[in-house]
């Protein structure tokens, strides 16, 4: 049996669809059973793709991907670069299970899939929350890995001194906390509202963190005009990572050790997001002072890996 690599998916089917769809079994012509669509239902996030020339993931690809299966047996495959979303392909899909040679194999047939050689794919599970897909028949087809998760995209606006809050799912909340010159991006679990789950977003030294949005990032050192590169600061696109384990299993209260690369990787594998500043008004340029932000409009895209079971909180 092939083991495949990662991608992002959502699958939702209505009860009537479950009852009318059937599984064809190759070793029992003419016999049909209702497929177990429940294993597929929910959202799946793309983790990686193992191909003949190497491994790709959202980081190397520069894009996140989400595949959405709908109750009317249609699907959409989305790609997101920063906060810009596009549909790679859409169409109808079919599920089948074929048995022979002492084992059975499940397949997804995706009409209109953007790669023709992958319009029929094997579907395997590594536990309940990891889905593995690969083109069939195809000896050297890439293998895609997906994990269960949730995604959201939204727009917002704030004025100086205002706090922004957006409730997401399972007690998760994104906030913009006001500071003297702008805002801090924070992610919180309402059961531990004092903990910033995005606090392990790198870098940690020398340059401003992407989660800190302040007006002087966009002005030159003299605060007389736009930043032309003389101020080392993030731009209008702010990437961040988060995990509900921060402050609990990762860097718990009282931890004395330095933040490790392994911890940062664990956080990044749990949740990530990006905030794009669409428009902003800075305070008047006054030499010798630091610029602040009077108002800001922004777009956020955020995703979190989640299992099928009950959400476990510390």
């Amino acid at each position: 049996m092939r083991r495949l690599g990662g991608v992002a998916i959502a699958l939702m089917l209505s009860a009537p669809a479950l009852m009318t769809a059937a599984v064809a079994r190759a070793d029992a012509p003419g016999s049909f059973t209702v497929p177990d669509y429940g294993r597929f239902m929910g959202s799946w996030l793309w983790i990686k793709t193992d191909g003949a020339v190497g491994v790709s993931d959202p980081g190397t690809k520069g894009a996140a991907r989400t595949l959405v299966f709908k109750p009317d047996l249609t699907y959409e495959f989305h790609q997101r670069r920063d906060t810009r979303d596009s549909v790679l392909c859409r169409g109808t899909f079919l599920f089948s299970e074929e048995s022979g040679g002492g084992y059975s194999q499940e397949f997804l047939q995706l009409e209109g899939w953007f790669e023709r050689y992958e319009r029929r794919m094997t579907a395997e599970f590594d536990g309940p929350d990891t889905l593995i897909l690969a083109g069939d028949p195809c000896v050297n087809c890439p293998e895609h890995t997906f994990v269960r998760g949730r995604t959201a995209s939204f727009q917002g606006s704030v004025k100086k001194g205002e706090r922004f809050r957006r409730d997401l799912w399972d007690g998760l909340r994104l906030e913009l906390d006001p500071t003297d010159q702008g805002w801090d991006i924070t992610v919180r679990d309402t059961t531990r509202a004092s903990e910033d789950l995005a606090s392990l977003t790198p870098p940690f030294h020398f340059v401003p963190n992407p989660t800190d949005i302040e007006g002087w990032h966009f002005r030159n050192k003299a605060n007389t005009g736009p930043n032309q590169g003389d101020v080392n600061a993030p731009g209008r696109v702010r990437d961040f990572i988060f995990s509900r384990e921060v402050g609990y299993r990762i860097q718990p209260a009282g931890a004395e050790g330095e933040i490790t690369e392994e911890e940062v990787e664990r956080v990044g594998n749990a949740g990530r997001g990006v905030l794009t500043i669409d428009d902003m008004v800075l305070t008047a340029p006054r030499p010798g002072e630091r610029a602040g932000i009077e108002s800001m409009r922004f777009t956020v895209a955020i995703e979190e890996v989640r299992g099928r079971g009950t959400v476990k909180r510390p």
Side-chain angles (χ1 to χ4, degrees):
M1 304 287 281
R2 284 179 291 186
R3 309 308 295 261
L4 322 180
V7 178
I9 291 186
L11 179 58
M12 299 168 287
L13 293 174
S14 64
L18 294 178
M19 296 306 296
T20 56
V23 177
R25 298 184 178 274
D27 61 344
S31 65
F32 300 93
T33 61
V34 176
D36 181 12
Y37 279 109
R39 294 169 303 154
F40 292 91
M41 299 177 80
S43 299
W44 301 82
L45 307 178
W46 177 46
I47 298 304
K48 66 175 181 177
T49 292
D50 292 304
V53 296
V55 178
S56 63
D57 57 28
T60 60
K61 191 75 174 178
R65 288 180 170 180
T66 303
L67 181 59
V68 182
F69 290 87
K70 299 181 179 181
D72 60 357
L73 301 182
T74 64
Y75 76 90
E76 291 185 352
F77 192 30
H78 289 254
Q79 177 168 279
R80 176 177 54 79
R81 295 187 184 275
D82 296 332
T83 51
R84 301 183 300 276
D85 183 86
S86 61
V87 178
L88 287 175
C89 56
R90 55 165 58 94
T92 59
F93 73 93
L94 296 173
F95 171 90
S96 65
E97 179 180 335
E98 301 177 8
S99 301
Y103 71 91
S104 62
Q105 178 67 66
E106 297 175 337
F107 299 90
L108 287 175
Q109 184 78 29
L110 301 168
E111 179 272 329
W113 189 257
F114 74 116
E115 296 285 10
R116 295 185 63 86
Y117 63 87
E118 291 183 326
R119 291 187 176 180
R120 172 180 160 95
M121 289 195 279
T122 59
E124 299 184 23
F125 285 89
D126 184 6
D129 301 318
T130 302
L131 175 63
I132 301 168
L133 301 178
D136 181 83
C138 183
V139 176
N140 295 316
C141 277
E143 300 177 342
H144 310 292
T145 300
F146 303 74
V147 294
R148 293 188 185 277
R150 300 290 297 272
T151 67
S153 181
F154 54 88
Q155 294 180 316
S157 63
V158 282
K159 293 182 180 180
K160 185 175 180 179
E162 290 182 346
R163 184 183 306 275
F164 175 87
R165 290 178 174 175
R166 174 71 176 232
D167 291 324
L168 298 169
W169 49 78
D170 300 332
L172 194 72
R173 175 186 293 160
L174 181 130
E175 298 184 2
L176 294 183
D177 296 331
T179 63
D180 290 341
Q181 277 85 39
W183 291 269
D184 289 337
I185 301 171
T186 61
V187 180
R188 304 188 189 279
D189 186 326
T190 55
T191 63
R192 295 186 298 134
S194 62
E195 193 73 53
D196 178 11
L197 307 182
S199 61
L200 266 64
T201 298
F204 307 110
H205 308 289
F206 308 119
V207 297
N209 192 275
T211 59
D212 301 329
I213 305 174
E214 299 193 341
W216 62 271
H217 298 169
F218 308 95
R219 285 270 172 80
N220 58 20
K221 286 185 177 180
N223 192 27
T224 58
N227 181 1
Q228 300 293 343
D230 59 333
V231 174
N232 186 9
R236 288 176 176 256
V237 178
R238 305 300 183 98
D239 294 286
F240 56 92
I241 60 175
F242 65 93
S243 170
R244 298 186 198 236
E245 294 191 4
V246 171
Y248 174 51
R249 295 188 180 94
I250 300 175
Q251 288 292 308
E256 297 180 356
E258 292 289 329
I259 298 171
T260 66
E261 291 184 4
E262 186 271 339
E263 288 176 323
V264 173
E265 182 178 4
R266 283 171 59 191
V267 174
N269 288 338
R272 54 184 177 262
V274 58
L275 180 148
T276 298
I277 300 172
D278 300 316
D279 186 43
M280 65 179 164
V281 177
L282 300 179
T283 55
R286 296 186 178 92
E289 296 184 6
R290 278 195 163 188
I293 304 176
E294 295 287 359
S295 63
M296 180 175 70
R297 292 191 298 105
F298 57 89
T299 302
V300 174
I302 188 169
E303 61 186 34
E304 182 187 26
V305 172
R306 305 302 291 154
R308 294 176 70 182
T310 301
V311 176
K312 295 182 178 180
R313 297 172 179 159

